[in-house]
Structure formats: structure tokens, C-alpha cells
Amino acid sequence: MQNILVEENGCYYIDCSKAIWSTDEINSIYKEAKLHLNDVDFVIETDNILILVEYKNANIEQAAKPNVFNPSDNKRVEKIWRKYYDFKI
């Protein structure tokens, strides 16, 4: 099974073909369910663990929103930890 997850700028990907299950659709699922939870970009399941991936890279030439991400911004730091706290299994 080929399962390639691509980040929002289309420059990088994660090959999840060996994962039991993976998705990059959490945001769409939350929106459809009208949930106002923070989400991670990718969820990858292996035999032993569930990996939650939050991808941030506004420093590439093709970045969709280069001015949005400032890793030192206090509000940004507070929001990132909520992506993992809000996630319910």
C-alpha cells in the first residue's frame, strides 16, 4: 500500500507506506464535524505507537503563508501544545 502524505506547500512528503494507518485529513474531519479543536498535520500509526506530526516551515521559497509562522511568538508556542492536548483518541 502506497501512502504518501504531502505537507501544505507541496515541497516535502512523508512516506507512510509501511504504516498501519495514516492520514493528513484531521483538519477536514474536524471541520466537517463542526469541532473547534486544534489539530496536527499528520497522524501515523505503527505497530507500537501513534505519531502526531505538526509541520511548520515558512522559510522555504514556495511557502503558502510565509509571514504567518514566527516560532518565537508566545501565542504560537501556546497554540502548538494545544494541538496535542486537544487530540482525542
Side-chain angles (χ1 to χ4, degrees), residues 32-48:
E32 186 176 323
K34 298 186 186 335
L35 295 173
H36 299 287
L37 298 173
N38 289 310
D39 62 274
V40 293
D41 295 318
F42 308 117
V43 180
I44 305 163
E45 181 181 2
T46 72
D47 287 330
N48 303 315

PDB file of all heavy atoms in Angstrom, residues 32-48:
ATOM      1  N   GLU A  32     -15.727  19.236   9.212  1.00  0.00           N
ATOM      2  CA  GLU A  32     -16.982  18.592   8.838  1.00  0.00           C
ATOM      3  C   GLU A  32     -17.835  18.289  10.061  1.00  0.00           C
ATOM      4  O   GLU A  32     -19.061  18.408  10.032  1.00  0.00           O
ATOM      5  CB  GLU A  32     -16.700  17.299   8.069  1.00  0.00           C
ATOM      6  CG  GLU A  32     -17.940  16.640   7.522  1.00  0.00           C
ATOM      7  CD  GLU A  32     -17.611  15.422   6.686  1.00  0.00           C
ATOM      8  OE1 GLU A  32     -16.602  15.445   5.959  1.00  0.00           O
ATOM      9  OE2 GLU A  32     -18.387  14.451   6.772  1.00  0.00           O
ATOM     10  N   ALA A  33     -17.189  17.917  11.163  1.00  0.00           N
ATOM     11  CA  ALA A  33     -17.906  17.602  12.402  1.00  0.00           C
ATOM     12  C   ALA A  33     -18.218  18.863  13.211  1.00  0.00           C
ATOM     13  O   ALA A  33     -18.803  18.784  14.280  1.00  0.00           O
ATOM     14  CB  ALA A  33     -17.081  16.637  13.246  1.00  0.00           C
ATOM     15  N   LYS A  34     -17.802  20.033  12.678  1.00  0.00           N
ATOM     16  CA  LYS A  34     -18.007  21.325  13.339  1.00  0.00           C
ATOM     17  C   LYS A  34     -17.346  21.370  14.718  1.00  0.00           C
ATOM     18  O   LYS A  34     -17.865  21.953  15.659  1.00  0.00           O
ATOM     19  CB  LYS A  34     -19.481  21.682  13.422  1.00  0.00           C
ATOM     20  CG  LYS A  34     -20.125  21.817  12.059  1.00  0.00           C
ATOM     21  CD  LYS A  34     -21.545  22.307  12.153  1.00  0.00           C
ATOM     22  CE  LYS A  34     -22.296  22.336  10.879  1.00  0.00           C
ATOM     23  NZ  LYS A  34     -21.764  22.441   9.635  1.00  0.00           N
ATOM     24  N   LEU A  35     -16.166  20.732  14.809  1.00  0.00           N
ATOM     25  CA  LEU A  35     -15.361  20.761  16.029  1.00  0.00           C
ATOM     26  C   LEU A  35     -14.370  21.901  15.930  1.00  0.00           C
ATOM     27  O   LEU A  35     -13.764  22.112  14.887  1.00  0.00           O
ATOM     28  CB  LEU A  35     -14.606  19.445  16.212  1.00  0.00           C
ATOM     29  CG  LEU A  35     -15.461  18.213  16.440  1.00  0.00           C
ATOM     30  CD1 LEU A  35     -14.594  16.963  16.431  1.00  0.00           C
ATOM     31  CD2 LEU A  35     -16.214  18.320  17.750  1.00  0.00           C
ATOM     32  N   HIS A  36     -14.215  22.629  16.996  1.00  0.00           N
ATOM     33  CA  HIS A  36     -13.277  23.747  17.011  1.00  0.00           C
ATOM     34  C   HIS A  36     -12.053  23.367  17.838  1.00  0.00           C
ATOM     35  O   HIS A  36     -11.709  24.020  18.802  1.00  0.00           O
ATOM     36  CB  HIS A  36     -13.958  24.996  17.563  1.00  0.00           C
ATOM     37  CG  HIS A  36     -15.118  25.423  16.736  1.00  0.00           C
ATOM     38  ND1 HIS A  36     -14.978  26.005  15.495  1.00  0.00           N
ATOM     39  CD2 HIS A  36     -16.442  25.307  16.933  1.00  0.00           C
ATOM     40  CE1 HIS A  36     -16.157  26.251  14.979  1.00  0.00           C
ATOM     41  NE2 HIS A  36     -17.065  25.833  15.837  1.00  0.00           N
ATOM     42  N   LEU A  37     -11.423  22.269  17.440  1.00  0.00           N
ATOM     43  CA  LEU A  37     -10.231  21.788  18.117  1.00  0.00           C
ATOM     44  C   LEU A  37      -9.014  22.069  17.253  1.00  0.00           C
ATOM     45  O   LEU A  37      -9.105  22.091  16.031  1.00  0.00           O
ATOM     46  CB  LEU A  37     -10.331  20.276  18.361  1.00  0.00           C
ATOM     47  CG  LEU A  37     -11.477  19.801  19.243  1.00  0.00           C
ATOM     48  CD1 LEU A  37     -11.538  18.280  19.234  1.00  0.00           C
ATOM     49  CD2 LEU A  37     -11.309  20.319  20.654  1.00  0.00           C
ATOM     50  N   ASN A  38      -7.898  22.273  17.898  1.00  0.00           N
ATOM     51  CA  ASN A  38      -6.639  22.368  17.152  1.00  0.00           C
ATOM     52  C   ASN A  38      -6.273  20.972  16.678  1.00  0.00           C
ATOM     53  O   ASN A  38      -6.609  19.983  17.324  1.00  0.00           O
ATOM     54  CB  ASN A  38      -5.534  22.933  18.041  1.00  0.00           C
ATOM     55  CG  ASN A  38      -5.742  24.401  18.315  1.00  0.00           C
ATOM     56  OD1 ASN A  38      -5.955  25.178  17.408  1.00  0.00           O
ATOM     57  ND2 ASN A  38      -5.698  24.770  19.566  1.00  0.00           N
ATOM     58  N   ASP A  39      -5.611  20.886  15.564  1.00  0.00           N
ATOM     59  CA  ASP A  39      -5.258  19.585  15.018  1.00  0.00           C
ATOM     60  C   ASP A  39      -3.801  19.555  14.606  1.00  0.00           C
ATOM     61  O   ASP A  39      -3.173  20.579  14.456  1.00  0.00           O
ATOM     62  CB  ASP A  39      -6.145  19.257  13.812  1.00  0.00           C
ATOM     63  CG  ASP A  39      -5.947  20.259  12.699  1.00  0.00           C
ATOM     64  OD1 ASP A  39      -6.598  21.311  12.714  1.00  0.00           O
ATOM     65  OD2 ASP A  39      -5.122  19.981  11.816  1.00  0.00           O
ATOM     66  N   VAL A  40      -3.286  18.357  14.432  1.00  0.00           N
ATOM     67  CA  VAL A  40      -1.938  18.173  13.906  1.00  0.00           C
ATOM     68  C   VAL A  40      -2.045  17.932  12.404  1.00  0.00           C
ATOM     69  O   VAL A  40      -3.115  17.623  11.888  1.00  0.00           O
ATOM     70  CB  VAL A  40      -1.210  17.005  14.601  1.00  0.00           C
ATOM     71  CG1 VAL A  40      -0.950  17.330  16.064  1.00  0.00           C
ATOM     72  CG2 VAL A  40      -1.968  15.709  14.466  1.00  0.00           C
ATOM     73  N   ASP A  41      -0.925  18.064  11.708  1.00  0.00           N
ATOM     74  CA  ASP A  41      -0.933  17.907  10.257  1.00  0.00           C
ATOM     75  C   ASP A  41      -1.022  16.454   9.807  1.00  0.00           C
ATOM     76  O   ASP A  41      -1.706  16.141   8.840  1.00  0.00           O
ATOM     77  CB  ASP A  41       0.315  18.550   9.650  1.00  0.00           C
ATOM     78  CG  ASP A  41       0.329  20.055   9.865  1.00  0.00           C
ATOM     79  OD1 ASP A  41      -0.729  20.682   9.706  1.00  0.00           O
ATOM     80  OD2 ASP A  41       1.391  20.596  10.199  1.00  0.00           O
ATOM     81  N   PHE A  42      -0.312  15.570  10.499  1.00  0.00           N
ATOM     82  CA  PHE A  42      -0.288  14.161  10.111  1.00  0.00           C
ATOM     83  C   PHE A  42      -0.461  13.278  11.343  1.00  0.00           C
ATOM     84  O   PHE A  42       0.044  13.612  12.415  1.00  0.00           O
ATOM     85  CB  PHE A  42       1.054  13.783   9.465  1.00  0.00           C
ATOM     86  CG  PHE A  42       1.479  14.683   8.347  1.00  0.00           C
ATOM     87  CD1 PHE A  42       2.627  15.436   8.437  1.00  0.00           C
ATOM     88  CD2 PHE A  42       0.734  14.758   7.178  1.00  0.00           C
ATOM     89  CE1 PHE A  42       3.038  16.263   7.398  1.00  0.00           C
ATOM     90  CE2 PHE A  42       1.127  15.579   6.128  1.00  0.00           C
ATOM     91  CZ  PHE A  42       2.284  16.328   6.249  1.00  0.00           C
ATOM     92  N   VAL A  43      -1.149  12.154  11.174  1.00  0.00           N
ATOM     93  CA  VAL A  43      -1.243  11.125  12.206  1.00  0.00           C
ATOM     94  C   VAL A  43      -0.790   9.830  11.548  1.00  0.00           C
ATOM     95  O   VAL A  43      -1.282   9.460  10.484  1.00  0.00           O
ATOM     96  CB  VAL A  43      -2.680  10.969  12.750  1.00  0.00           C
ATOM     97  CG1 VAL A  43      -2.726   9.887  13.826  1.00  0.00           C
ATOM     98  CG2 VAL A  43      -3.207  12.290  13.286  1.00  0.00           C
ATOM     99  N   ILE A  44       0.174   9.157  12.194  1.00  0.00           N
ATOM    100  CA  ILE A  44       0.753   7.936  11.634  1.00  0.00           C
ATOM    101  C   ILE A  44       0.732   6.862  12.709  1.00  0.00           C
ATOM    102  O   ILE A  44       1.237   7.075  13.816  1.00  0.00           O
ATOM    103  CB  ILE A  44       2.198   8.184  11.161  1.00  0.00           C
ATOM    104  CG1 ILE A  44       2.230   9.363  10.180  1.00  0.00           C
ATOM    105  CG2 ILE A  44       2.787   6.915  10.549  1.00  0.00           C
ATOM    106  CD1 ILE A  44       3.608   9.955   9.980  1.00  0.00           C
ATOM    107  N   GLU A  45       0.166   5.710  12.389  1.00  0.00           N
ATOM    108  CA  GLU A  45       0.087   4.601  13.336  1.00  0.00           C
ATOM    109  C   GLU A  45       1.051   3.498  12.919  1.00  0.00           C
ATOM    110  O   GLU A  45       1.081   3.083  11.761  1.00  0.00           O
ATOM    111  CB  GLU A  45      -1.336   4.051  13.372  1.00  0.00           C
ATOM    112  CG  GLU A  45      -1.523   2.917  14.339  1.00  0.00           C
ATOM    113  CD  GLU A  45      -2.937   2.366  14.344  1.00  0.00           C
ATOM    114  OE1 GLU A  45      -3.782   2.845  13.568  1.00  0.00           O
ATOM    115  OE2 GLU A  45      -3.188   1.434  15.122  1.00  0.00           O
ATOM    116  N   THR A  46       1.831   3.018  13.882  1.00  0.00           N
ATOM    117  CA  THR A  46       2.718   1.877  13.658  1.00  0.00           C
ATOM    118  C   THR A  46       2.256   0.742  14.570  1.00  0.00           C
ATOM    119  O   THR A  46       1.259   0.871  15.275  1.00  0.00           O
ATOM    120  CB  THR A  46       4.193   2.217  13.956  1.00  0.00           C
ATOM    121  OG1 THR A  46       4.363   2.346  15.369  1.00  0.00           O
ATOM    122  CG2 THR A  46       4.636   3.488  13.259  1.00  0.00           C
ATOM    123  N   ASP A  47       2.998  -0.342  14.600  1.00  0.00           N
ATOM    124  CA  ASP A  47       2.665  -1.452  15.491  1.00  0.00           C
ATOM    125  C   ASP A  47       2.709  -1.050  16.956  1.00  0.00           C
ATOM    126  O   ASP A  47       1.971  -1.590  17.771  1.00  0.00           O
ATOM    127  CB  ASP A  47       3.641  -2.621  15.287  1.00  0.00           C
ATOM    128  CG  ASP A  47       3.402  -3.354  13.991  1.00  0.00           C
ATOM    129  OD1 ASP A  47       2.249  -3.393  13.523  1.00  0.00           O
ATOM    130  OD2 ASP A  47       4.372  -3.883  13.435  1.00  0.00           O
ATOM    131  N   ASN A  48       3.581  -0.094  17.284  1.00  0.00           N
ATOM    132  CA  ASN A  48       3.823   0.236  18.689  1.00  0.00           C
ATOM    133  C   ASN A  48       3.362   1.608  19.142  1.00  0.00           C
ATOM    134  O   ASN A  48       3.133   1.811  20.330  1.00  0.00           O
ATOM    135  CB  ASN A  48       5.325   0.124  18.989  1.00  0.00           C
ATOM    136  CG  ASN A  48       5.854  -1.242  18.664  1.00  0.00           C
ATOM    137  OD1 ASN A  48       5.242  -2.246  18.991  1.00  0.00           O
ATOM    138  ND2 ASN A  48       6.993  -1.294  18.005  1.00  0.00           N
TER     139      ASN A  48
END
